[in-house]
Amino acid sequence: TLSVSRSSRLPPTLRARARAQRLIAMTDYERVPVYKARRPGSSSEAAAWRKYTHPLIFRHKGTPTHVEFSPVAPHDFCVASSLQVDIFSSRSNAVYRTLTRFKDTVCCTAYRHDGKMLAASDERGVTQLFDLGSRAVMRTMRGHTKAVRAVRFSPDGGRLYTGSDDMLVSCWDVAAEETVRTFEGHTDVVRCLRVSGAAGEHTGAHRLVLSGSYDHTVQLWDVSAPRPVMTVRMGEPVEDCVLLAGGGVGAGGGRI
């Protein structure tokens, strides 16, 4: 069989016209410029990004509930999940210590300023203080009736602040293992805490505590007064808050 193109079956006049139209179309063609991607520059920012490697994935026994970095170099970090706290080396990215003395799900953790002690709270409302060298439980704070969702040390480590689903913020004397003061003012669960104190100056001089709650408020407390000195209404549940160095307050839930 012989295959004959459609254009070859056209009369000579029409074939010439089709050929002319193709030539006109070819003259309208423009080459699309292709630009090569630039290589990363030598700026400090580009150098910092090049240090990042592929993410490492760790499987835990339960859903991770909290991550906290040590304030002391090399800044190891701990991950709370299920009934334990895993402590990772920031150099090897491997677990080198595990704390397991919990009877319910661990909610949150906090390092002391020297990185030698870790506070961890659970769903029962109990907060335990661990010596990270021996993994021994040094103190056990009992007093909250529901889960403790927030834990913070004072700058000198002598006080511990806890925020709970029972809507209370408690101040504990670490040495005496007892409550010093209870702050009442929230009408829903307390989700976050911050304690004032200049970084690196652990003289024990701290006056202010900031707490955020699902009652849509952030409350600022003077440690010597039972009532908040300031209340900021956020209009939505508060997940985290921060005391800014310049004296301001930041908080976030669905927005900051």
Side-chain angles (χ1 to χ4, degrees):
T1 60
L2 178 64
S3 176
V4 180
S5 65
R6 181 180 179 183
S7 60
S8 65
R9 297 196 301 267
L10 296 174
T13 305
L14 294 180
R15 287 204 300 270
R17 185 180 299 174
R19 188 180 302 111
Q21 290 176 349
R22 288 197 298 271
L23 290 173
I24 293 173
M26 291 179 64
T27 59
D28 294 338
Y29 169 78
E30 294 182 3
R31 183 180 295 275
V32 177
V34 178
Y35 299 98
K36 292 183 178 181
R38 294 181 179 180
R39 291 186 177 183
S42 58
S43 65
S44 58
E45 180 180 356
W49 281 109
R50 283 197 297 269
K51 292 180 181 178
Y52 285 90
T53 57
H54 295 290
L56 301 175
I57 299 177
F58 300 95
R59 301 294 181 185
H60 295 274
K61 294 181 179 179
T63 303
T65 53
H66 191 81
V67 178
E68 189 81 8
F69 281 87
S70 171
V72 179
H75 305 293
D76 295 341
F77 60 96
C78 66
V79 179
S81 65
S82 188
L83 305 180
Q84 67 186 50
V85 176
D86 294 316
I87 302 176
F88 290 78
S89 167
S90 60
R91 290 172 175 167
S92 65
N93 294 320
V95 177
Y96 70 89
R97 187 166 290 119
T98 300
L99 309 176
T100 58
R101 298 187 180 183
F102 301 97
K103 295 182 179 180
D104 209 333
T105 302
V106 184
C107 296
C108 62
T109 61
Y111 280 94
R112 199 171 66 179
H113 68 272
D114 57 5
K116 296 181 179 180
M117 187 171 287
L118 184 76
S121 63
D122 61 25
E123 290 276 1
R124 297 182 303 149
V126 176
T127 302
Q128 299 180 82
L129 274 60
F130 293 86
D131 182 305
L132 292 181
S134 63
R135 294 187 295 182
V137 178
M138 306 303 294
R139 297 288 186 274
T140 300
M141 311 301 189
R142 293 184 174 89
H144 288 289
T145 59
K146 294 183 179 180
V148 173
R149 305 288 182 183
V151 177
R152 292 289 173 185
F153 279 100
S154 63
D156 67 343
R159 294 284 189 271
L160 183 73
Y161 294 87
T162 55
S164 171
D165 282 1
D166 61 12
M167 302 179 290
L168 301 177
V169 176
S170 295
C171 174
W172 303 81
D173 185 301
V174 173
E177 205 172 359
E178 61 184 16
T179 307
V180 176
R181 185 178 296 277
T182 299
F183 303 96
E184 301 181 27
H186 286 294
T187 58
D188 207 330
V189 299
V190 179
R191 295 292 293 186
C192 52
L193 290 174
R194 297 289 174 177
V195 180
S196 67
E201 297 180 3
H202 310 296
T203 60
H206 68 281
R207 296 190 309 104
L208 300 175
V209 176
L210 186 68
S211 61
S213 168
Y214 273 11
D215 64 4
H216 299 195
T217 68
V218 175
Q219 298 189 2
L220 187 66
W221 310 81
D222 187 307
V223 296
S224 61
R227 307 300 299 173
V229 298
M230 182 180 74
T231 299
V232 179
R233 302 194 180 279
M234 300 297 296
E236 57 188 357
V238 178
E239 291 287 354
D240 205 356
C241 59
V242 61
L243 280 166
L244 303 177
V249 170
R255 61 185 176 86
I256 297 176

